[in-house]
Amino acid sequence: MISKIIFILFLLTLLSHSITNASVVDFCVADLSSAETPSGFPCKSSVTINDFIFSNFNSGNTSNNPLRSAFTSASVHQFPAVNGLGISASRLDLDVGGIVPIHSHRGASEIVMMVQGRITVGFISSDNSVFVKTLSKGEIMVIPQGLLHFQFNAGRNKATSFLAFSSSNPGAQLVDLALFGNNLSSAIVEKTTLLDPAQVKKLKAIFGGSG
């Protein structure tokens, strides 16, 4: 009897999952003038072919920031057509010496696709194992969802990669920005990171923090 109940519950779970994820519309181009909800934006009432085109993947300016990097995002806020589709993309340009500090995307896995130059990409698993590889043109690498990772230019010329995400709004939290880009007291930062006051002051200046 118990086994039959378990089997019935299992079937109901599968049915519920199928109904919940059934597509009732072909697409839902985001209406960015409305408030975002946990399931995304509401749909625009009028859609044209231009809504499905993103034309801003030109080379970014990497010389005006201390990281010497440029990140062009095509997530739902810049490309409303990906709303609800579970995908988005970005372009990453790294000048010589350019870096993307350690960060994570809580809601998405990431694929790095190299198109120019050489970029070292690495991620750290939840058991603190480190996986690092220098990628060249034509190579791709996957970064599992939510893990800390980084990129830096490993060559003598500008490097470019395209990034694909398993979310229309992957978000990002940079560890350095979280520590040094706000008004968290320098004394607390020094105590919790074991950095000396001069280092904390320097990093707060770079990332726009105070306190």
Coordinates of all heavy atoms in Angstrom, one line a residue, residues 43-124:
C43 N 5.1 40.6 -20.5 CA 5.4 40.6 -21.9 C 5.0 42.0 -22.5 O 4.0 42.6 -22.1 CB 4.7 39.5 -22.6 SG 4.9 37.9 -21.9
K44 N 5.8 42.4 -23.5 CA 5.3 43.6 -24.3 C 4.1 43.2 -25.1 O 3.9 42.0 -25.5 CB 6.5 44.0 -25.3 CG 7.6 44.7 -24.6 CD 8.7 45.0 -25.7 CE 8.2 45.9 -26.8 NZ 9.2 46.2 -27.8
S45 N 3.3 44.2 -25.4 CA 2.1 43.9 -26.1 C 2.3 43.9 -27.6 O 1.6 43.3 -28.4 CB 1.0 44.9 -25.8 OG 1.5 46.3 -26.0
S46 N 3.3 44.7 -28.1 CA 3.6 44.7 -29.5 C 5.1 44.4 -29.7 O 6.0 45.0 -29.1 CB 3.3 46.2 -30.0 OG 3.7 46.3 -31.4
V47 N 5.4 43.5 -30.6 CA 6.7 42.9 -30.9 C 7.0 43.0 -32.4 O 6.1 42.7 -33.2 CB 6.8 41.5 -30.3 CG1 8.2 40.9 -30.7 CG2 6.6 41.5 -28.9
T48 N 8.3 43.3 -32.7 CA 8.7 43.3 -34.1 C 10.0 42.5 -34.2 O 10.6 42.1 -33.1 CB 9.0 44.7 -34.7 OG1 10.2 45.2 -34.0 CG2 7.8 45.6 -34.4
I49 N 10.5 42.2 -35.4 CA 11.7 41.5 -35.6 C 12.9 42.1 -34.8 O 13.8 41.4 -34.4 CB 12.0 41.3 -37.1 CG1 13.3 40.4 -37.3 CG2 12.2 42.6 -37.8 CD1 13.3 39.1 -36.7
N50 N 12.9 43.4 -34.8 CA 14.0 44.2 -34.1 C 14.1 43.8 -32.6 O 15.2 44.0 -32.1 CB 13.8 45.7 -34.3 CG 14.0 46.1 -35.8 OD1 14.8 45.5 -36.5 ND2 13.2 47.1 -36.2
D51 N 13.1 43.4 -32.0 CA 13.1 43.0 -30.6 C 14.0 41.8 -30.4 O 14.6 41.6 -29.3 CB 11.8 42.7 -30.1 CG 10.9 43.9 -29.9 OD1 11.4 44.8 -29.1 OD2 9.9 44.1 -30.5
F52 N 14.2 41.0 -31.5 CA 15.0 39.8 -31.4 C 16.4 39.9 -31.8 O 17.2 38.9 -31.9 CB 14.3 38.6 -32.2 CG 12.9 38.3 -31.7 CD1 11.8 39.0 -32.3 CD2 12.7 37.5 -30.6 CE1 10.5 38.7 -31.8 CE2 11.4 37.2 -30.2 CZ 10.4 37.8 -30.7
I53 N 16.8 41.2 -32.1 CA 18.2 41.5 -32.5 C 18.9 42.3 -31.5 O 18.4 43.3 -31.0 CB 18.2 42.2 -33.9 CG1 17.3 41.5 -34.9 CG2 19.6 42.5 -34.4 CD1 17.8 40.1 -35.3
F54 N 20.2 41.9 -31.2 CA 21.0 42.7 -30.3 C 22.2 43.1 -31.1 O 22.9 42.3 -31.7 CB 21.5 41.9 -29.1 CG 22.3 42.6 -28.1 CD1 21.7 43.4 -27.1 CD2 23.7 42.6 -28.1 CE1 22.4 44.1 -26.2 CE2 24.4 43.3 -27.1 CZ 23.8 44.1 -26.2
S55 N 22.5 44.4 -31.2 CA 23.5 45.0 -32.1 C 24.6 45.7 -31.4 O 25.2 46.6 -32.0 CB 22.8 45.9 -33.1 OG 21.7 45.3 -33.8
N56 N 24.8 45.4 -30.1 CA 25.8 46.2 -29.4 C 27.0 45.4 -28.9 O 27.6 45.7 -27.9 CB 25.1 46.8 -28.1 CG 25.9 47.9 -27.5 OD1 26.6 48.7 -28.2 ND2 25.9 48.0 -26.2
F57 N 27.4 44.4 -29.7 CA 28.5 43.6 -29.4 C 29.8 44.1 -30.0 O 30.7 43.3 -30.4 CB 28.3 42.1 -29.7 CG 27.8 41.3 -28.6 CD1 27.6 39.9 -28.7 CD2 27.7 41.8 -27.3 CE1 27.1 39.1 -27.7 CE2 27.2 41.1 -26.2 CZ 26.9 39.7 -26.4
N58 N 29.9 45.4 -30.2 CA 31.1 46.0 -30.7 C 32.2 46.0 -29.6 O 31.9 45.9 -28.4 CB 30.9 47.4 -31.2 CG 29.9 47.4 -32.3 OD1 30.0 46.6 -33.2 ND2 29.0 48.4 -32.3
S59 N 33.5 46.2 -30.0 CA 34.6 46.2 -29.0 C 34.4 47.2 -28.0 O 34.0 48.4 -28.3 CB 35.9 46.4 -29.8 OG 37.0 46.5 -28.9
G60 N 34.6 46.9 -26.7 CA 34.5 47.8 -25.6 C 35.7 48.5 -25.3 O 36.8 48.1 -25.7
N61 N 35.6 49.7 -24.7 CA 36.8 50.5 -24.3 C 37.4 50.0 -23.0 O 36.7 50.1 -22.0 CB 36.4 52.0 -24.2 CG 37.6 52.9 -24.0 OD1 38.7 52.5 -23.7 ND2 37.4 54.2 -24.2
T62 N 38.6 49.5 -23.1 CA 39.2 48.9 -21.9 C 40.2 49.8 -21.2 O 40.8 49.5 -20.2 CB 40.0 47.6 -22.3 OG1 41.0 47.9 -23.2 CG2 39.0 46.6 -22.9
S63 N 40.4 51.0 -21.8 CA 41.5 51.9 -21.3 C 41.1 52.8 -20.2 O 41.9 53.5 -19.6 CB 42.1 52.7 -22.4 OG 41.1 53.5 -23.0
N64 N 39.8 52.9 -19.9 CA 39.3 53.9 -19.0 C 39.0 53.4 -17.6 O 38.3 54.0 -16.8 CB 38.0 54.6 -19.5 CG 38.3 55.4 -20.8 OD1 39.4 55.9 -20.9 ND2 37.3 55.6 -21.6
N65 N 39.4 52.2 -17.3 CA 39.2 51.6 -16.0 C 40.4 50.9 -15.5 O 41.2 50.4 -16.3 CB 38.0 50.7 -16.0 CG 38.2 49.5 -16.8 OD1 38.8 48.5 -16.4 ND2 37.6 49.5 -18.0
P66 N 40.6 50.8 -14.2 CA 41.9 50.2 -13.7 C 42.0 48.7 -13.9 O 43.1 48.1 -13.9 CB 41.8 50.5 -12.2 CG 40.3 50.7 -11.9 CD 39.8 51.3 -13.1
L67 N 40.9 48.0 -14.3 CA 40.9 46.6 -14.5 C 41.3 46.3 -16.0 O 41.5 45.1 -16.3 CB 39.6 46.0 -14.2 CG 39.1 46.1 -12.8 CD1 37.7 45.4 -12.6 CD2 40.1 45.6 -11.8
R68 N 41.3 47.3 -16.8 CA 41.6 47.2 -18.2 C 40.7 46.1 -18.9 O 41.2 45.3 -19.7 CB 43.1 46.9 -18.5 CG 44.0 48.0 -17.9 CD 45.4 47.9 -18.4 NE 45.6 48.1 -19.8 CZ 45.6 49.3 -20.4 NH1 45.4 50.4 -19.6 NH2 45.7 49.5 -21.7
S69 N 39.5 46.2 -18.6 CA 38.5 45.2 -19.1 C 37.2 45.9 -19.5 O 36.9 47.0 -19.0 CB 38.2 44.1 -18.1 OG 37.6 44.6 -16.9
A70 N 36.5 45.3 -20.4 CA 35.2 45.9 -20.9 C 34.2 44.7 -21.0 O 34.5 43.7 -21.6 CB 35.3 46.6 -22.2
F71 N 33.1 44.9 -20.4 CA 32.1 43.8 -20.4 C 30.8 44.4 -21.0 O 30.2 45.3 -20.5 CB 31.8 43.4 -18.9 CG 30.9 42.2 -18.7 CD1 31.4 41.0 -18.9 CD2 29.6 42.4 -18.3 CE1 30.6 39.9 -18.7 CE2 28.8 41.3 -18.1 CZ 29.3 40.0 -18.3
T72 N 30.3 43.8 -22.1 CA 29.1 44.2 -22.7 C 28.1 43.1 -22.5 O 28.2 42.0 -23.0 CB 29.3 44.4 -24.2 OG1 30.4 45.3 -24.4 CG2 28.1 44.9 -24.9
S73 N 27.0 43.4 -21.8 CA 26.0 42.4 -21.4 C 24.8 42.4 -22.4 O 24.3 43.5 -22.8 CB 25.5 42.7 -20.0 OG 24.5 41.8 -19.6
A74 N 24.3 41.2 -22.7 CA 23.1 41.1 -23.4 C 22.1 40.2 -22.6 O 21.7 39.1 -23.0 CB 23.3 40.4 -24.8
S75 N 21.9 40.6 -21.3 CA 21.0 40.0 -20.5 C 19.6 40.6 -20.7 O 19.5 41.5 -21.5 CB 21.4 40.0 -19.0 OG 21.4 41.4 -18.5
V76 N 18.6 40.3 -19.9 CA 17.2 40.7 -20.2 C 17.1 42.3 -20.1 O 16.3 42.9 -20.9 CB 16.3 40.1 -19.2 CG1 16.5 40.5 -17.8 CG2 14.8 40.3 -19.6
H77 N 17.9 42.9 -19.3 CA 17.8 44.4 -19.2 C 18.3 45.1 -20.4 O 17.9 46.2 -20.7 CB 18.6 44.9 -18.0 CG 18.0 44.4 -16.7 ND1 18.4 43.3 -16.0 CD2 17.0 44.9 -15.9 CE1 17.7 43.1 -14.9 NE2 16.8 44.1 -14.9
Q78 N 19.2 44.5 -21.2 CA 19.7 45.1 -22.4 C 19.1 44.4 -23.7 O 19.1 45.0 -24.7 CB 21.3 44.9 -22.5 CG 22.1 45.6 -21.4 CD 22.1 44.7 -20.2 OE1 22.0 43.5 -20.2 NE2 22.3 45.4 -19.0
F79 N 18.6 43.2 -23.5 CA 18.1 42.4 -24.6 C 16.8 41.7 -24.2 O 16.8 40.6 -23.8 CB 19.2 41.4 -25.0 CG 18.9 40.6 -26.3 CD1 18.0 41.1 -27.3 CD2 19.6 39.4 -26.6 CE1 17.8 40.4 -28.5 CE2 19.4 38.8 -27.8 CZ 18.5 39.3 -28.7
P80 N 15.7 42.5 -24.2 CA 14.4 42.0 -23.6 C 13.9 40.7 -24.2 O 13.1 40.0 -23.5 CB 13.5 43.2 -23.8 CG 14.4 44.4 -23.9 CD 15.6 43.9 -24.6
A81 N 14.4 40.3 -25.4 CA 13.8 39.1 -26.0 C 14.2 37.8 -25.3 O 13.6 36.8 -25.4 CB 14.3 39.0 -27.5
V82 N 15.3 37.9 -24.4 CA 15.7 36.6 -23.7 C 14.8 36.4 -22.5 O 15.0 35.4 -21.8 CB 17.2 36.7 -23.4 CG1 18.0 36.8 -24.6 CG2 17.5 37.8 -22.4
N83 N 13.9 37.3 -22.2 CA 13.1 37.2 -21.0 C 12.4 35.8 -21.0 O 11.7 35.4 -21.9 CB 12.0 38.3 -21.0 CG 11.1 38.3 -19.8 OD1 11.6 38.3 -18.7 ND2 9.8 38.4 -20.0
G84 N 12.6 35.1 -19.9 CA 11.9 33.8 -19.8 C 12.5 32.6 -20.5 O 12.0 31.5 -20.4
L85 N 13.6 32.9 -21.3 CA 14.1 31.8 -22.1 C 15.3 31.1 -21.4 O 15.7 30.0 -21.9 CB 14.7 32.4 -23.5 CG 13.6 33.0 -24.4 CD1 14.2 33.5 -25.6 CD2 12.5 32.1 -24.6
G86 N 15.8 31.6 -20.3 CA 16.8 30.9 -19.6 C 18.2 31.0 -20.3 O 19.1 30.1 -20.0
I87 N 18.4 32.0 -21.1 CA 19.7 32.2 -21.7 C 20.0 33.7 -21.8 O 19.1 34.6 -21.7 CB 19.7 31.7 -23.2 CG1 18.5 32.3 -24.0 CG2 19.6 30.2 -23.2 CD1 18.6 32.0 -25.5
S88 N 21.3 34.0 -21.9 CA 21.8 35.4 -22.2 C 23.2 35.3 -22.6 O 23.8 34.2 -22.6 CB 21.6 36.3 -21.0 OG 22.3 35.8 -19.9
A89 N 23.8 36.4 -23.0 CA 25.2 36.4 -23.5 C 25.9 37.7 -23.1 O 25.2 38.7 -22.7 CB 25.2 36.2 -25.0
S90 N 27.2 37.7 -23.2 CA 28.0 38.9 -23.0 C 29.2 38.8 -23.8 O 29.6 37.7 -24.3 CB 28.4 39.0 -21.5 OG 27.3 39.2 -20.7
R91 N 29.9 40.0 -24.0 CA 31.2 40.0 -24.6 C 32.2 40.6 -23.6 O 31.9 41.5 -22.9 CB 31.1 40.9 -25.9 CG 32.5 41.2 -26.4 CD 32.5 42.0 -27.7 NE 33.8 42.4 -28.1 CZ 34.2 42.6 -29.4 NH1 33.3 42.5 -30.4 NH2 35.4 42.9 -29.7
L92 N 33.3 39.9 -23.6 CA 34.4 40.3 -22.7 C 35.6 40.7 -23.5 O 36.1 39.9 -24.2 CB 34.7 39.2 -21.7 CG 35.9 39.5 -20.7 CD1 35.6 40.7 -19.8 CD2 36.2 38.2 -19.9
D93 N 36.1 42.0 -23.3 CA 37.3 42.4 -23.9 C 38.3 42.7 -22.8 O 38.0 43.4 -21.8 CB 37.1 43.7 -24.7 CG 36.3 43.4 -26.0 OD1 36.8 42.8 -26.9 OD2 35.1 43.9 -26.0
L94 N 39.5 42.1 -22.9 CA 40.6 42.3 -22.0 C 41.8 42.9 -22.7 O 42.4 42.2 -23.5 CB 40.9 41.0 -21.3 CG 39.9 40.4 -20.4 CD1 40.3 39.0 -19.9 CD2 39.6 41.3 -19.2
D95 N 42.2 44.1 -22.3 CA 43.5 44.6 -22.8 C 44.6 43.9 -22.2 O 44.5 43.1 -21.3 CB 43.5 46.1 -22.4 CG 44.4 46.9 -23.4 OD1 45.1 46.3 -24.2 OD2 44.2 48.1 -23.5
V96 N 45.8 44.2 -22.6 CA 47.0 43.6 -22.0 C 47.0 43.9 -20.5 O 46.9 45.1 -20.2 CB 48.3 44.1 -22.7 CG1 49.5 43.5 -22.0 CG2 48.3 43.7 -24.2
G97 N 47.1 42.9 -19.7 CA 47.1 43.1 -18.3 C 45.7 43.2 -17.7 O 45.5 43.3 -16.5
G98 N 44.7 43.0 -18.5 CA 43.3 43.2 -18.1 C 42.8 42.0 -17.3 O 43.3 40.8 -17.5
I99 N 42.0 42.2 -16.3 CA 41.5 41.2 -15.4 C 40.0 41.3 -15.2 O 39.4 42.4 -15.3 CB 42.2 41.2 -14.0 CG1 41.9 42.5 -13.3 CG2 43.7 41.0 -14.2 CD1 42.4 42.6 -11.8
V100 N 39.4 40.2 -14.8 CA 38.0 40.2 -14.2 C 38.2 39.5 -12.8 O 38.5 38.4 -12.7 CB 37.0 39.4 -15.0 CG1 35.7 39.4 -14.4 CG2 36.9 39.9 -16.4
P101 N 38.1 40.3 -11.8 CA 38.3 39.8 -10.4 C 37.4 38.6 -10.1 O 36.4 38.4 -10.7 CB 38.1 41.0 -9.5 CG 38.2 42.2 -10.4 CD 37.7 41.7 -11.7
I102 N 37.7 37.9 -9.0 CA 36.9 36.8 -8.6 C 35.5 37.2 -8.3 O 35.2 38.2 -7.6 CB 37.5 36.1 -7.3 CG1 38.9 35.4 -7.7 CG2 36.6 35.1 -6.7 CD1 39.6 34.8 -6.5
H103 N 34.6 36.4 -8.9 CA 33.1 36.7 -8.8 C 32.3 35.5 -9.0 O 32.9 34.4 -9.2 CB 32.7 37.8 -9.8 CG 32.9 37.3 -11.2 ND1 34.1 37.2 -11.9 CD2 32.0 36.9 -12.2 CE1 34.0 36.7 -13.1 NE2 32.7 36.6 -13.3
S104 N 31.0 35.6 -8.8 CA 30.2 34.4 -9.0 C 28.8 34.9 -9.7 O 28.5 36.0 -9.6 CB 29.9 33.7 -7.7 OG 29.1 34.5 -6.8
H105 N 28.2 33.9 -10.3 CA 26.8 34.1 -10.9 C 25.9 33.1 -10.1 O 25.9 31.9 -10.5 CB 26.8 33.9 -12.4 CG 27.8 34.7 -13.1 ND1 27.6 36.1 -13.3 CD2 28.9 34.4 -13.7 CE1 28.7 36.5 -14.0 NE2 29.5 35.5 -14.3
R106 N 25.2 33.6 -9.2 CA 24.4 32.7 -8.3 C 23.4 31.9 -9.1 O 23.1 30.7 -8.8 CB 23.7 33.5 -7.2 CG 22.9 32.6 -6.2 CD 22.3 33.5 -5.2 NE 21.4 34.4 -5.7 CZ 20.7 35.3 -5.0 NH1 20.9 35.3 -3.7 NH2 19.8 36.1 -5.5
G107 N 22.9 32.5 -10.2 CA 21.8 31.9 -10.9 C 22.1 31.3 -12.2 O 21.2 31.0 -13.0
A108 N 23.4 31.1 -12.6 CA 23.7 30.7 -13.9 C 25.0 30.0 -14.0 O 26.0 30.4 -13.4 CB 23.6 31.8 -14.9
S109 N 25.0 28.9 -14.9 CA 26.3 28.4 -15.4 C 26.8 29.3 -16.5 O 26.0 30.0 -17.1 CB 26.2 27.0 -15.8 OG 25.8 26.1 -14.8
E110 N 28.1 29.2 -16.8 CA 28.6 30.1 -17.9 C 29.5 29.3 -18.8 O 30.3 28.4 -18.4 CB 29.5 31.2 -17.2 CG 30.2 32.1 -18.1 CD 31.0 33.2 -17.3 OE1 30.8 33.3 -16.1 OE2 31.9 33.8 -17.9
I111 N 29.5 29.6 -20.1 CA 30.4 29.1 -21.1 C 31.2 30.2 -21.6 O 30.7 31.2 -22.1 CB 29.6 28.4 -22.2 CG1 29.0 27.1 -21.7 CG2 30.6 28.0 -23.3 CD1 28.3 26.3 -22.7
V112 N 32.5 30.1 -21.6 CA 33.5 31.0 -22.1 C 33.9 30.6 -23.5 O 34.5 29.4 -23.6 CB 34.7 31.2 -21.2 CG1 35.7 32.2 -21.8 CG2 34.3 31.6 -19.8
M113 N 33.7 31.4 -24.5 CA 34.1 31.0 -25.9 C 35.1 32.0 -26.4 O 34.8 33.2 -26.6 CB 32.8 31.0 -26.8 CG 31.8 30.0 -26.4 SD 30.2 30.2 -27.2 CE 29.5 31.6 -26.3
M114 N 36.3 31.5 -26.7 CA 37.4 32.4 -27.1 C 37.4 32.7 -28.6 O 37.2 31.8 -29.4 CB 38.8 31.7 -26.8 CG 39.1 31.6 -25.3 SD 39.3 33.3 -24.6 CE 40.6 34.0 -25.6
V115 N 37.5 34.0 -28.9 CA 37.6 34.4 -30.3 C 38.8 35.2 -30.7 O 39.1 35.3 -31.8 CB 36.3 35.3 -30.6 CG1 35.0 34.5 -30.4 CG2 36.3 36.6 -29.8
Q116 N 39.6 35.6 -29.7 CA 40.8 36.4 -29.9 C 41.7 36.4 -28.7 O 41.3 36.5 -27.6 CB 40.5 37.8 -30.3 CG 41.7 38.7 -30.5 CD 41.3 40.1 -30.8 OE1 40.3 40.4 -31.6 NE2 42.0 41.1 -30.3
G117 N 43.0 36.2 -28.9 CA 44.0 36.3 -27.9 C 44.0 35.0 -27.0 O 43.5 34.0 -27.3
R118 N 44.5 35.3 -25.7 CA 44.6 34.2 -24.8 C 44.1 34.7 -23.4 O 44.5 35.8 -22.9 CB 46.1 33.7 -24.6 CG 46.6 33.1 -25.9 CD 48.1 32.9 -25.8 NE 48.4 31.7 -25.0 CZ 49.1 31.7 -23.9 NH1 49.7 32.8 -23.5 NH2 49.3 30.6 -23.2
I119 N 43.2 33.9 -22.8 CA 42.7 34.3 -21.5 C 42.8 33.1 -20.5 O 42.4 32.0 -20.9 CB 41.2 34.7 -21.6 CG1 41.0 36.0 -22.4 CG2 40.6 34.9 -20.2 CD1 39.6 36.5 -22.6
T120 N 43.3 33.4 -19.4 CA 43.4 32.4 -18.3 C 42.0 32.4 -17.5 O 41.7 33.5 -17.1 CB 44.5 32.6 -17.4 OG1 45.8 32.4 -18.1 CG2 44.5 31.5 -16.2
V121 N 41.4 31.3 -17.5 CA 40.1 31.2 -16.8 C 40.2 30.2 -15.7 O 40.8 29.1 -15.9 CB 39.0 30.8 -17.8 CG1 37.6 30.8 -17.0 CG2 38.9 31.8 -18.9
G122 N 39.7 30.5 -14.5 CA 39.7 29.5 -13.4 C 38.5 29.6 -12.5 O 37.9 30.7 -12.5
F123 N 38.1 28.5 -11.9 CA 37.1 28.5 -10.9 C 37.4 27.6 -9.7 O 38.3 26.8 -9.8 CB 35.7 28.1 -11.5 CG 35.6 26.6 -12.0 CD1 35.3 25.6 -11.1 CD2 35.9 26.3 -13.3 CE1 35.2 24.3 -11.5 CE2 35.8 25.0 -13.8 CZ 35.4 24.0 -12.9
I124 N 36.8 27.9 -8.6 CA 37.1 27.2 -7.4 C 35.8 26.5 -6.9 O 34.7 27.1 -6.8 CB 37.5 28.2 -6.3 CG1 38.7 29.0 -6.7 CG2 37.8 27.5 -5.0 CD1 39.0 30.2 -5.8

